Amino acid sequence: MSKLTYDDKIKLYNDKKNGMPIGSLSNKYKVRKCVINYLTALIDKHGVDILRTNKNRTHTISEKQEAIDRVLINGEAKWAVALDIGLLSKGMLDNWIKNYKENCYNIVERKRGRSTMPKITKKKENETKDEKIKRLEEENLYLKAELEY
């Protein structure tokens, strides 16, 4: 399966609306039929603006929790929930649910960007025993935090 560009998604949607069979679209764009069905349903429901590519969308913990609850508690279909909240693929919701179950039914936000941990300080030539102990404790704390991250 290939990753579709914004233009490919628009062309695929227009081809589908102009009556091109799903099998032909699947071969032309090298994607599965379920991807074509989801993409056309998503654009029909939310419009072409849902495909904007200028920045990544982030979802709050409460939005994720609500979507997961709709699937696990209310028994709604993943496809319908993902479509309703405007996810670009049903696979995103599948990943949320999988991670939710793996983390003992808690939503854990993935950390992004660089670590803000302080750098390990270099050993000094003439440091006292107390300074050495303090430096080693700080280094140990840093390494433990880095390992957990």
Side-chain angles (χ1 to χ4, degrees):
M1 184 169 92
S2 66
K3 185 165 180 154
L4 297 172
T5 64
Y6 176 81
D7 292 332
D8 287 340
K9 291 175 184 178
I10 300 297
K11 288 176 188 173
L12 187 148
Y13 178 74
N14 290 332
D15 288 345
K16 173 84 166 74
K17 288 300 173 183
N18 290 332
M20 192 172 192
I22 291 180
S24 300
L25 289 170
S26 178
N27 291 335
K28 180 178 177 182
Y29 293 99
K30 295 181 179 33
V31 293
R32 292 177 290 150
K33 294 175 183 177
C34 62
V35 172
I36 296 169
N37 288 330
Y38 185 82
L39 181 65
T40 54
L42 182 70
I43 295 172
D44 284 342
K45 182 168 181 102
H46 296 282
V48 178
D49 291 338
I50 195 79
L51 302 176
R52 73 176 196 275
T53 57
N54 56 353
K55 68 175 192 167
N56 291 333
R57 268 173 270 186
T58 56
H59 300 278
T60 64
I61 291 176
S62 61
E63 290 172 334
K64 289 180 181 181
Q65 186 69 55
E66 183 181 333
I68 291 168
D69 288 347
R70 286 176 62 184
V71 172
L72 297 180
I73 296 172
N74 300 345
E76 294 182 46
K78 292 176 191 174
W79 196 83
V81 173
L83 186 65
D84 190 40
I85 62 176
L87 297 179
L88 292 180
S89 75
K90 180 186 79 71
M92 288 174 69
L93 183 57
D94 289 332
N95 289 338
W96 291 355
I97 292 171
K98 183 183 82 165
N99 291 334
Y100 183 71
K101 289 178 179 178
E102 286 175 355
N103 292 310
C104 301
Y105 297 92
N106 292 308
I107 295 177
V108 177
E109 284 295 307
R110 188 172 62 141
K111 297 203 179 352
R112 298 172 190 261
R114 293 183 179 205
S115 172
T116 58
M117 302 293 285
K119 300 267 191 231
I120 297 175
T121 56
K122 301 277 185 190
K123 180 180 174 184
K124 296 179 182 174
E125 294 282 330
N126 300 336
E127 67 183 348
T128 64
K129 194 172 192 176
D130 289 336
E131 289 173 340
K132 182 178 180 179
I133 291 171
K134 184 177 180 187
R135 179 182 56 81
L136 291 173
E137 286 175 348
E138 288 174 359
E139 186 175 325
N140 191 23
L141 183 65
Y142 172 80
L143 292 172
K144 282 181 181 178
E146 188 178 65
L147 184 62
E148 283 188 24
Y149 178 74

